[in-house]
């Protein structure tokens, strides 16, 4: 794939298990823009000891969720860095309607080219995640469809292969419900602004990337 030199500013939405992280990395490479993930940003801000980083650390150390205005501060600092001057891809932000409105207020109405929403049916992501099994020693990933050759002993290290607590169907459905409650209103709002493209996230990873690129090209090309 040839990188497209046109600067793009993209948001990527998608619930857990939709393949958002994988596609975000691919799109950022394709367009030559930084892949900015909220988790990475928070860790970097904490490490660098910025004002927002220190506040965020205090809040997280107290076991609380980082408030919208703190998140926005971290995003604002990140987007001001040189590598984001001509484009960026945000992954994991905005997570709420308020964060979405804050972002538009920060970058301006023309400051976002497109938000893409990776659409994968709930039953598909529940199956993807709840079938996952992980080596408790080395972290190697298996699934009920592709187990280690000697169940359930890791082929790589001999460790025990287990289902993580976070990967049970109950835990997955709980997180999907939180996404539906907190994030879908933000997705819908970007739709109302005429900034949203919904893309089929099922099937082959390369095919999904091409669908995303087609949606972006039809907007910014
Ligand atoms: Zn292992």
């Amino acid at each position: 794939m040839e990188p497209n030199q046109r600067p793009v500013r993209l948001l990527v939405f998608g619930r857990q298990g939709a393949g958002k992280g994988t596609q975000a990395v691919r799109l950022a490479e394709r367009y030559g823009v930084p892949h900015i993930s909220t988790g990475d940003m928070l860790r970097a801000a904490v490490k660098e000891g910025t004002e927002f980083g220190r506040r965020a650390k205090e809040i997280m150390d107290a076991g609380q969720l980082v408030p919208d205005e703190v998140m926005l501060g971290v995003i604002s600092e990140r987007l001001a860095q040189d590598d984001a001057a001509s484009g960026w891809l945000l992954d994991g932000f905005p997570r709420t309607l308020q964060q979405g409105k804050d972002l538009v207020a920060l970058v301006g109405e023309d400051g976002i080219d497109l938000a893409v929403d990776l659409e994968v049916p709930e039953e598909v992501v529940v199956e993807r995640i709840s079938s996952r099994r992980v080596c408790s020693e080395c972290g190697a990933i298996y699934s009920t469809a592709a187990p280690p050759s000697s169940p359930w002993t890791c082929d790589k290290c001999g460790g025990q292969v287990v289902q993580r607590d976070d990967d049970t169907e109950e835990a997955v459905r709980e997180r999907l419900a939180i996404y539906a409650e907190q994030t879908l209103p933000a997705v819908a709002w970007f739709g109302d602004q005429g900034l949203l493209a919904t893309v089929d996230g099922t099937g082959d990873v390369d095919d999904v990337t091409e669908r995303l690129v087609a949606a972006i090209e039809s907007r910014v090309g």
Side-chain angles (χ1 to χ4, degrees):
M1 286 192 285
E2 285 295 310
N4 185 319
Q5 294 309 306
R6 165 81 162 79
V8 291
R9 294 145 310 171
L10 303 170
L11 311 182
V12 183
F13 287 111
R15 50 189 167 197
Q16 191 201 18
K20 177 170 67 71
T22 301
Q23 297 296 340
V25 168
R26 287 172 159 232
L27 290 177
E29 271 175 22
R30 171 99 177 201
Y31 290 101
V33 296
H35 168 217
I36 300 175
S37 109
T38 321
D40 292 349
M41 267 186 302
L42 266 175
R43 281 185 289 274
V46 169
K47 192 177 169 193
E48 288 162 16
T50 66
E51 182 191 342
F52 287 114
R54 287 195 300 271
R55 280 183 67 193
K57 186 173 188 309
E58 279 174 22
I59 292 159
M60 289 186 292
D61 285 349
Q64 292 169 347
L65 289 177
V66 179
D68 289 340
E69 75 269 16
V70 177
M71 284 309 309
L72 189 73
V74 175
I75 298 278
S76 171
E77 289 182 352
R78 181 64 186 85
L79 294 183
Q81 291 176 17
D82 290 346
D83 67 336
S86 63
W88 37 260
L89 180 148
L90 281 182
D91 170 5
F93 188 93
R95 188 159 288 183
T96 64
L97 177 57
Q98 186 59 50
Q99 289 181 356
K101 291 179 175 177
D102 288 347
L103 178 66
V104 169
L106 176 71
V107 301
E109 289 194 3
D110 299 327
I112 297 169
D113 292 303
L114 190 64
V116 291
D117 181 28
L118 270 181
E119 187 100 309
V120 177
E122 173 158 343
E123 291 314 310
V124 173
V125 300
V126 169
E127 169 63 22
R128 270 185 196 173
I129 299 167
S130 64
S131 67
R132 184 161 62 195
R133 299 292 182 273
V134 180
C135 174
S136 54
E137 297 294 327
C138 75
I141 293 176
Y142 299 90
S143 78
T144 52
S149 50
S150 170
W152 285 90
T153 302
C154 181
D155 290 335
K156 293 177 182 161
C157 77
Q160 195 185 1
V161 175
V162 299
Q163 182 177 42
R164 291 190 304 208
D165 291 344
D166 274 357
D167 291 347
T168 63
E169 180 176 339
E170 187 186 10
V172 175
R173 289 202 192 275
E174 197 171 309
R175 285 197 300 280
L176 291 178
I178 291 169
Y179 183 82
E181 184 190 321
Q182 296 189 347
T183 307
L184 286 188
V187 178
W189 185 77
F190 278 95
D192 292 342
Q193 313 306 307
L195 283 171
L196 184 72
T198 302
V199 173
D200 178 5
T202 60
D204 183 77
V205 179
D206 290 334
D207 293 343
V208 175
T209 304
E210 289 312 312
R211 276 179 224 138
L212 286 163
V213 168
I216 294 163
E217 298 295 317
S218 72
R219 168 62 65 125
V220 304

